[in-house]
Protein backbone atom coordinates (compact mmCIF):
# COMPACT_ATOMS: atom_id res chain seq x y z
CA UNK A 1 0.00 0.00 0.00
CA UNK A 2 1.26 3.44 -0.91
CA UNK A 3 2.36 5.64 2.00
CA UNK A 4 -0.21 8.36 1.19
CA UNK A 5 -3.01 5.81 1.12
CA UNK A 6 -1.76 4.29 4.39
CA UNK A 7 -1.53 7.77 5.93
CA UNK A 8 -5.11 8.50 4.89
CA UNK A 9 -6.33 5.17 6.25
CA UNK A 10 -4.70 5.77 9.62
CA UNK A 11 -5.96 9.34 9.80
CA UNK A 12 -9.52 8.29 9.00
CA UNK A 13 -9.57 5.36 11.42
CA UNK A 14 -7.80 6.98 14.35
CA UNK A 15 -8.79 10.62 14.14
CA UNK A 16 -11.34 11.81 11.60
CA UNK A 17 -14.04 9.19 12.07
CA UNK A 18 -13.63 9.23 15.86
CA UNK A 19 -14.17 13.00 15.93
CA UNK A 20 -17.01 12.80 13.45
CA UNK A 21 -18.88 10.21 15.47
CA UNK A 22 -18.49 12.34 18.61
CA UNK A 23 -19.73 15.40 16.73
CA UNK A 24 -22.73 13.51 15.34
CA UNK A 25 -23.66 12.31 18.83
CA UNK A 26 -23.39 15.84 20.24
CA UNK A 27 -25.50 17.37 17.49
CA UNK A 28 -28.10 14.58 17.67
CA UNK A 29 -28.65 15.39 21.34
CA UNK A 30 -29.21 19.08 20.59
CA UNK A 31 -31.22 19.19 17.35
CA UNK A 32 -33.83 21.91 17.72
CA UNK A 33 -33.69 24.02 14.57
CA UNK A 34 -33.58 23.45 10.84
CA UNK A 35 -29.96 24.59 10.91
CA UNK A 36 -29.18 21.86 13.47
CA UNK A 37 -30.85 19.29 11.21
CA UNK A 38 -28.78 20.48 8.25
CA UNK A 39 -25.58 20.30 10.28
CA UNK A 40 -26.44 16.79 11.44
CA UNK A 41 -27.14 15.69 7.87
CA UNK A 42 -23.85 17.25 6.69
CA UNK A 43 -21.93 15.34 9.39
CA UNK A 44 -23.69 12.07 8.52
CA UNK A 45 -22.95 12.59 4.82
CA UNK A 46 -19.32 13.30 5.63
CA UNK A 47 -19.10 10.14 7.73
CA UNK A 48 -20.67 8.09 4.94
CA UNK A 49 -18.12 9.52 2.47
CA UNK A 50 -15.19 8.63 4.74
CA UNK A 51 -16.63 5.16 5.39
CA UNK A 52 -16.80 4.65 1.62
CA UNK A 53 -13.23 5.93 1.32
CA UNK A 54 -12.05 3.35 3.86
CA UNK A 55 -13.91 0.64 1.99
CA UNK A 56 -12.21 1.71 -1.26
CA UNK A 57 -8.83 1.57 0.50
CA UNK A 58 -9.54 -1.91 1.83
CA UNK A 59 -10.60 -3.06 -1.65
CA UNK A 60 -7.48 -1.43 -3.17
CA UNK A 61 -9.66 0.83 -5.33
CA UNK A 62 -8.40 4.22 -4.17
CA UNK A 63 -5.75 5.86 -6.32
CA UNK A 64 -2.75 7.70 -4.92
CA UNK A 65 -4.10 10.91 -6.47
CA UNK A 66 -7.46 10.45 -4.75
CA UNK A 67 -5.72 9.84 -1.43
CA UNK A 68 -3.62 12.98 -1.86
CA UNK A 69 -6.72 15.01 -2.75
CA UNK A 70 -8.60 13.74 0.30
CA UNK A 71 -5.62 14.40 2.56
CA UNK A 72 -5.43 17.97 1.21
CA UNK A 73 -9.17 18.46 1.79
CA UNK A 74 -8.83 17.13 5.35
CA UNK A 75 -5.99 19.56 6.00
CA UNK A 76 -8.17 22.43 4.74
CA UNK A 77 -11.05 21.28 6.93
CA UNK A 78 -8.74 21.05 9.93
CA UNK A 79 -7.50 24.58 9.29
CA UNK A 80 -11.09 25.83 8.98
CA UNK A 81 -12.21 23.66 11.94
CA UNK A 82 -15.08 22.14 9.93
CA UNK A 83 -15.13 18.83 11.78
Amino acid sequence: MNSKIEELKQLLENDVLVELIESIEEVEDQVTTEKDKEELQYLKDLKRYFDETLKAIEEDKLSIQQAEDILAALENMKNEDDF
Side-chain angles (χ1 to χ4, degrees):
M1 185 179 302
N2 176 277
S3 64
K4 289 291 181 184
I5 294 174
E6 181 64 33
E7 177 185 352
L8 177 59
K9 180 179 184 223
Q10 295 301 318
L11 187 62
L12 290 176
E13 290 177 337
N14 300 320
D15 188 27
V16 174
L17 285 170
V18 173
E19 285 187 38
L20 253 174
I21 291 168
E22 289 174 2
S23 295
I24 288 170
E25 290 171 355
E26 287 175 20
V27 173
E28 280 179 331
D29 291 340
Q30 301 173 6
V31 172
T32 56
T33 66
E34 189 61 34
K35 184 178 178 190
D36 293 338
K37 290 177 186 175
E38 290 172 8
E39 179 180 0
L40 180 59
Q41 189 58 51
Y42 169 75
L43 292 171
K44 286 181 175 182
D45 290 345
L46 202 53
K47 183 182 179 302
R48 185 173 16 261
Y49 173 76
F50 290 135
D51 285 338
E52 290 171 4
T53 300
L54 275 178
K55 183 178 178 187
I57 290 170
E58 290 168 8
E59 295 174 353
D60 201 24
K61 294 182 178 178
L62 192 76
S63 72
I64 296 168
Q65 183 62 51
Q66 288 170 311
E68 290 173 347
D69 292 346
I70 294 168
L71 284 167
L74 286 170
E75 185 63 31
N76 287 338
M77 291 174 79
K78 181 179 175 184
N79 291 337
E80 296 170 6
D81 198 30
D82 278 355
F83 71 93

